[in-house]
Amino acid sequence: MLISARHKTSQPGATNMVIPNRKRILLVDDYEDTRDLATLTLTEYELICARNFDEGLRLAQQQDFDLYILDNWLPDRSGVELCRSIRTFDPDTPILFYSAAAYARDIREGMRAGAQAYLVKPVLPNELRQAIARLISAPRETAS
């Protein structure tokens, strides 16, 4: 795993489950139940959780991740805006939308903003694990 000079420790309030030598995922979702379920489902990864746009963006800028998982409906701004913001400094790391925003336009906007996949909640835990495994193991390409 490459650690860049911008790698920092987690911020106060962020949930951080540290597992050495594991792929790192940032999950940005305002629902505690979603964060808890992801923590239980994704035990093979180092999962860091943020509750809103600002916290998610700050963590994304300060730490290196192998995958971003974004909810599209955040309390302070949209996941699409967060995706676009992440793409300004990280064009390569895969982004997965994991959201109840299920309209075709929501999915289109998420993909156009730079995401590689979009899962509509509710999703079975195994489906989430499979989508994550595919994205993390896929060769990195710069998002457009």
Side-chain angles (χ1 to χ4, degrees), residues 1-66:
M1 172 194 289
L2 279 175
I3 305 287
S4 74
R6 67 183 172 93
H7 182 82
K8 307 280 186 199
T9 58
S10 66
Q11 297 297 307
T15 304
N16 187 357
M17 186 176 143
V18 177
I19 302 171
N21 302 318
R22 300 294 172 113
K23 297 289 186 176
R24 294 169 46 87
I25 298 173
L26 175 62
L27 169 65
V28 184
D29 196 299
D30 57 318
Y31 284 102
E32 185 176 357
D33 289 348
T34 300
R35 295 189 309 267
D36 290 346
L37 180 61
T39 299
L40 293 171
T41 301
L42 305 174
T43 57
E44 65 270 33
Y45 301 104
E46 181 181 345
L47 185 65
I48 297 170
C49 297
R51 296 170 292 225
N52 57 47
F53 179 98
D54 289 335
E55 186 179 20
L57 182 59
R58 184 174 59 251
L59 288 168
Q61 290 172 328
Q62 295 174 341
Q63 299 183 38
D64 294 318
F65 294 97
D66 298 292

Side-chain angles (χ1 to χ4, degrees), residues 15 19 41 57 73 79 98 114 122 129 136 138 142:
T15 304
I19 302 171
T41 301
L57 182 59
W73 292 334
Y98 178 51
R129 279 193 296 270
I136 285 182
T142 301

Side-chain angles (χ1 to χ4, degrees), residues 90-110:
D90 187 351
D92 301 320
T93 301
I95 296 177
L96 167 66
F97 273 95
Y98 178 51
S99 182
Y103 292 111
R105 77 174 186 286
D106 295 320
I107 297 167
R108 261 192 322 273
E109 287 176 356

